[in-house]
Amino acid sequence: MTQVPTPPVAQEPERHSETSASAPEAVAPFRILALSGGGYRGLYTAKVLADLEAHIEAPIASRFDLIAGTSIGGILALALSLEIPALAMVELFTQHGQDIFKARRSLWGLVRSRYTQAELSRLLRTDDLFASRTLGECTRRVIVPAIDYSNGVPVLFKTPHHVDLTRDHAYAIADVALATSAAPAYFPRHSFDNRQFIDGGLFANAPGLLAFHEAQHYLGARRDDIHVVSIGTMSSRFTVDPRKNRSGGTFDWGGINPANTPQRLFGIAISSQEALVNSMLRHRVKAGQYYHIDEPLTDEKSRAVALDKTDAAAQEALLGAASQSSKVALGQPLFRELLKHPASPPTFYYGPNVNAGGSTHA
């Protein structure tokens, strides 16, 4: 992946103090799992995670001190934090992908989004997944980015792993999952708590950098102790065709259908973020402690794989690439060593899993 040095991604501007004085003393090593967004391409991520769980014969969340996920990666992160097997998520995507991405009448996306979140919402709220459980019921530390479109600010939904995190634990996990995955033009905005939310991928599609910041500033981890495992969604680079219109109008960006414009811009945003964050984490994380698992799309595979392609060809490409990626990762002795040792139990200050200094109420 091409390395592109760029200024740091802006961090969340609200809710926390700028000091980690009340954070618990970190224990080395501090391990982060970061899961990128990418729509149905998250099947690739889920399969990699399932392969890792099969190798360690335990929930993958038990090996990490902090899990960060955006969009489909956020849904996976929340599932892992409840120790829902990654294989169950693979089965969910393969069996119900076409129902989740079932196009509705929308005048080519001009008057409303191409898809509805109704089926995804129904699936997430089943007893086998999130049901009515709240963020405070997660057993591992999690951060999930979204954009509060009502107030025009980025937000991070977090488990109550810091004394200042007094409210998020009461939110339904399903609402957080739907908020982070409300991709513009693909799905409608998700509303709860009297606010409208859209996909966190617009500013943090690859959330590893946010997790690194969280570990240092709110959980007391030292830079040299932080290990990061980042799993992508088969990065797709959007590039210009120099033969085509370059004037910047609707036909330039969206072609004959204006509704394609926001979808293409969203694709450019998330793919460029993947490259940016990968480059910056290689600079910030101590050498030998950063693992980036992803598979760039070839010209042929890119025709079969997309954010909303769910057919047999897409599944074959995603699952096959994931099997190869997990094989390569597990072939590295240092990576296998990283997965051997369970993480320390997290400290929670509020909610049903409170175990330090807080209460079960906000």
Side-chain angles (χ1 to χ4, degrees), residues 35 228 242 331:
L35 308 176
V228 179

Side-chain angles (χ1 to χ4, degrees), residues 204-255:
N205 195 66
L209 203 57
L210 295 182
F212 190 91
H213 174 80
E214 188 80 10
Q216 283 192 310
H217 289 270
Y218 301 125
L219 294 168
R222 298 188 309 124
R223 172 188 176 272
D224 288 354
D225 296 333
I226 297 175
H227 298 245
V228 179
V229 176
S230 171
I231 305 179
T233 55
M234 294 192 72
S235 298
S236 178
R237 293 184 186 175
F238 285 79
T239 56
V240 67
D241 184 343
R243 299 169 300 175
K244 293 187 176 180
N245 175 2
R246 62 185 70 193
S247 59
T250 298
F251 291 113
D252 182 4
W253 288 108

Side-chain angles (χ1 to χ4, degrees), residues 66-352:
L66 177 63
I67 305 174
T70 302
S71 197
I72 188 59
I75 294 175
L76 289 170
L78 292 164
L80 296 181
S81 74
L82 295 170
E83 299 194 351
I84 294 171
L87 184 58
M89 301 306 290
V90 172
E91 293 171 350
L92 176 76
F93 298 152
T94 54
Q95 294 174 12
H96 299 283
Q98 291 187 348
D99 296 323
I100 295 171
F101 288 95
K102 184 177 181 180
R104 59 176 175 172
R105 294 181 180 177
S106 61
L107 290 180
W108 304 282
L110 295 176
V111 296
R112 59 183 181 178
S113 62
R114 182 171 297 180
Y115 310 106
T116 170
Q117 282 189 316
E119 181 62 13
L120 178 59
S121 177
R122 185 191 69 79
L123 291 167
L124 294 180
R125 298 182 195 276
T126 60
D127 291 339
D128 291 337
L129 287 177
F130 303 149
S132 59
R133 286 185 280 189
T134 64
L135 202 55
E137 295 179 65
C138 295
T139 59
R140 297 289 166 179
R141 300 183 189 97
V142 179
I143 62 173
V144 176
I147 291 178
D148 176 352
Y149 193 38
S150 294
N151 295 297
V153 294
V155 296
L156 294 180
F157 296 107
K158 303 180 184 182
T159 47
H161 51 255
H162 189 280
V163 70
D164 291 347
L165 299 171
T166 62
R167 295 185 58 183
D168 288 4
H169 67 86
Y171 292 143
I173 295 176
D175 279 326
V176 173
L178 292 168
T180 189
S181 58
Y186 291 93
F187 294 108
R189 298 187 285 275
H190 183 65
S191 300
F192 73 98
D193 195 28
N194 296 304
R195 292 180 288 169
Q196 299 180 36
F197 295 93
I198 55 178
D199 200 311
L202 286 167
F203 78 100
N205 195 66
L209 203 57
L210 295 182
F212 190 91
H213 174 80
E214 188 80 10
Q216 283 192 310
H217 289 270
Y218 301 125
L219 294 168
R222 298 188 309 124
R223 172 188 176 272
D224 288 354
D225 296 333
I226 297 175
H227 298 245
V228 179
V229 176
S230 171
I231 305 179
T233 55
M234 294 192 72
S235 298
S236 178
R237 293 184 186 175
F238 285 79
T239 56
V240 67
D241 184 343
R243 299 169 300 175
K244 293 187 176 180
N245 175 2
R246 62 185 70 193
S247 59
T250 298
F251 291 113
D252 182 4
W253 288 108
I256 194 169
N257 183 358
N260 290 334
T261 298
Q263 294 177 3
R264 182 166 181 81
L265 291 177
F266 183 69
I268 292 171
I270 65 175
S271 64
S272 58
Q273 282 182 48
E274 193 77 33
L276 166 65
V277 173
N278 180 47
S279 175
M280 295 190 69
L281 283 174
R282 291 191 184 282
H283 293 162
R284 291 199 177 192
V285 180
K286 186 177 178 180
Q289 295 179 183
Y290 175 53
Y291 303 88
H292 184 61
I293 302 174
D294 203 359
E295 181 70 26
L297 283 169
T298 62
D299 290 342
E300 292 299 323
K301 280 186 178 180
S302 66
R303 297 188 180 96
V305 174
L307 273 74
D308 57 352
K309 285 188 177 181
T310 63
D311 57 19
Q315 291 185 14
E316 178 182 315
L318 293 165
L319 293 172
S323 294
Q324 176 62 19
S325 294
S326 60
K327 176 183 177 180
V328 171
L330 291 169
Q332 302 176 52
L334 289 178
F335 184 75
R336 293 197 305 273
E337 184 65 26
L338 183 69
L339 298 180
K340 280 185 179 180
H341 308 290
S344 300
T347 298
F348 292 126
Y349 291 86
Y350 308 95

Side-chain angles (χ1 to χ4, degrees), residues 3-89:
Q3 308 302 309
V4 186
T6 308
V9 174
Q11 305 300 327
E12 181 186 19
E14 61 175 1
R15 294 197 302 204
H16 306 313
S17 62
E18 290 301 317
T19 171
S20 58
S22 57
E25 185 70 19
V27 178
F30 189 98
R31 287 163 289 184
I32 293 170
L33 177 63
L35 308 176
S36 296
Y40 193 71
R41 298 199 316 246
L43 175 60
Y44 166 89
T45 315
K47 173 59 172 157
V48 169
L49 292 166
D51 289 349
L52 299 184
E53 289 190 332
H55 174 78
I56 65 175
E57 298 182 337
I60 192 66
S62 67
R63 301 305 196 257
F64 291 91
D65 300 282
L66 177 63
I67 305 174
T70 302
S71 197
I72 188 59
I75 294 175
L76 289 170
L78 292 164
L80 296 181
S81 74
L82 295 170
E83 299 194 351
I84 294 171
L87 184 58
M89 301 306 290

